[in-house]
Every structure is written in structure tokens, then in C-alpha cells.
Amino acid sequence: MNMLKLAGTLAILLSISGCASNPQTGNFEITRTGVGLTVGAVGGALVGAALGDSSMAIKGAVLGAAAGGGAGYLWEKRYRAMQAELAYTDLQVQQAPADNGQQSLVVTVPSDVFFRIGSSDIAPEAYPALSKLAESLKAQTYKVGIAGHTDNTGTPDRNNRLSYDRARSVAAYLTAAGVPYERLFVRGAGASEPKSSNATPQGRSQNRRVEITLSEIAPNA
């Protein structure tokens, strides 16, 4: 047990090494790499302890930290690269954990910019941004989950159909631009997964979107 406490201390020190100053807020914050270091260290220590070897607990913490930190650094690097590739477009890139615990990137397509009201036809002015996204995806091996979302105006049936059709339109564009169709997974969520409150025009605008999730495994159906 004392060895696990020591491993926990090591995890804290490693997480501190994965901290950085946020240029937007000025706050000292733990980065994705720091999270990976901490989780990996604790996980590795538990494996060593389960084997009943106190020295293995420390070795496991160090090796686990290396694996976890490496994964965090890799996704941080992918995030920065995607941000640079999609700069000066209306596409928004975020890092987020997928539902299955795997790390992922989420690219948000604002429907008010990329589609006409009530339509699933992509607006011509959106072509350059989607073409940039397609070029980036062709160079990667991501599984691409494409989910359409609406606000809560209109009937559920109409919203479900519109959200699916918009996601399918984005998938069709990416496929036509050279992204392999077998890597694309399309669904329509309608108004069931709001990002903001539907009580204001601004909130409803944020909810009208297509989210493109990039991960290493296929998304849940």
C-alpha cells in the first residue's frame, strides 16, 4: 500500500510536468499530456500492485505514465495541426473524449453558415471549408462520425429527417472529395442533443449544427 502511495505521489509530480500556461486565460492548467501522464501512472501502479511486487508498482507507474503521456501528446499534436489546417474557415475544432473513453477531435459545422434554412443542400460558400477538411482527412486514418443536430423548432419527425439529411450531405461531399466512404458513419440526432438552451435565438443557432467526430475506432451506432 505504501508503494501505491509513492506511485500516487509520482503521478502528481508527472501531472505537474504536464501543465502549461493558457495564453487565453493566463491560468496555469493541466494539459492533455498531463492528464495522460497521471492516468497512465496510476493505472500502471495498480497493475504492479496487483502482481504483488512493490517494485513493479513503481515501474508500472513510470511505464504507464510514458504510454498515457504519449497518447495525450499525440492527440494534442493532432488538435494543433487540425486547427492550423482549418484556420480562417467557419469550422470549429475541439478536443473531446469519445463516449467509449477514447480521445477524439470534434469539428463543428454551423448549420446557419453551411446550409440554407430548412434545407439539407450545402451552401456553395461552404465548399472551400469542407474541401480543406477533406484534404486533411485524406491524409489520416480516422473513423469519421458525422452527426446532424437541430434546434427544437418544428416537429420531431421533421427535425430527425433534416438532421440526418444534413449529415448525409456532408458525408457525400467528403466522399466526393476523396475521403473513403467506409470510414464515414452518419446519423441524425434531431433536437435530442442540444449544445445550448433553445430558449434564446443564440442558443438555437448553436444547436443547429453538424458535428464531425474523428477517432481511432468506429463510433457507437
Side-chain angles (χ1 to χ4, degrees):
M1 183 63 69
N2 289 335
M3 299 309 294
L4 283 179
K5 289 181 180 179
L6 185 55
T9 302
L10 175 61
I12 292 173
L13 294 174
L14 287 169
S15 70
I16 292 174
S17 71
C19 291
S21 178
N22 186 325
Q24 295 180 338
T25 65
N27 295 330
F28 195 60
E29 300 175 356
I30 188 167
T31 64
R32 293 275 173 172
T33 301
V35 172
L37 286 168
T38 304
V39 173
V42 174
L46 290 175
V47 170
L51 294 175
D53 187 336
S54 59
S55 64
M56 283 297 294
I58 298 302
K59 292 177 182 177
V62 174
L63 293 174
Y73 173 76
L74 174 62
W75 280 95
E76 186 76 23
K77 185 177 179 181
R78 289 171 172 174
Y79 168 60
R80 298 300 178 191
M82 183 69 71
Q83 272 193 323
E85 290 165 356
L86 300 182
Y88 310 110
T89 74
D90 289 304
L91 296 172
Q92 304 153 12
V93 186
Q94 293 179 308
Q95 279 183 285
D99 292 339
N100 49 34
Q102 298 293 318
Q103 294 191 66
S104 64
L105 302 180
V106 178
V107 180
T108 300
V109 179
S111 292
D112 289 358
V113 177
F114 285 73
F115 300 95
R116 301 288 182 250
I117 295 176
S119 172
S120 60
D121 295 333
I122 298 174
E125 54 266 32
Y127 294 168
L130 290 178
S131 293
K132 282 189 176 183
L133 176 60
E135 286 300 312
S136 177
L137 294 181
K138 286 192 293 184
Q140 305 293 334
T141 59
Y142 294 125
K143 303 298 183 183
V144 184
I146 305 174
H149 301 268
T150 68
D151 60 26
N152 65 349
T153 58
T155 65
D157 285 346
R158 181 179 182 280
N159 288 336
N160 290 337
R161 170 52 60 183
L162 180 60
S163 65
Y164 177 79
D165 287 346
R166 284 178 169 175
R168 187 174 58 178
S169 292
V170 171
Y173 188 98
L174 295 177
T175 300
V179 180
Y181 72 89
E182 62 269 17
R183 287 167 46 198
L184 307 182
F185 302 83
V186 177
R187 70 182 181 95
S192 65
E193 300 173 19
K195 201 173 182 181
S196 302
S197 170
N198 280 302
T200 66
Q202 293 82 2
R204 290 192 293 274
S205 177
Q206 290 181 358
N207 291 334
R208 296 189 293 267
R209 68 200 189 279
V210 174
E211 287 186 343
I212 303 171
T213 302
L214 313 177
S215 60
E216 293 180 338
I217 64 173
N220 294 329

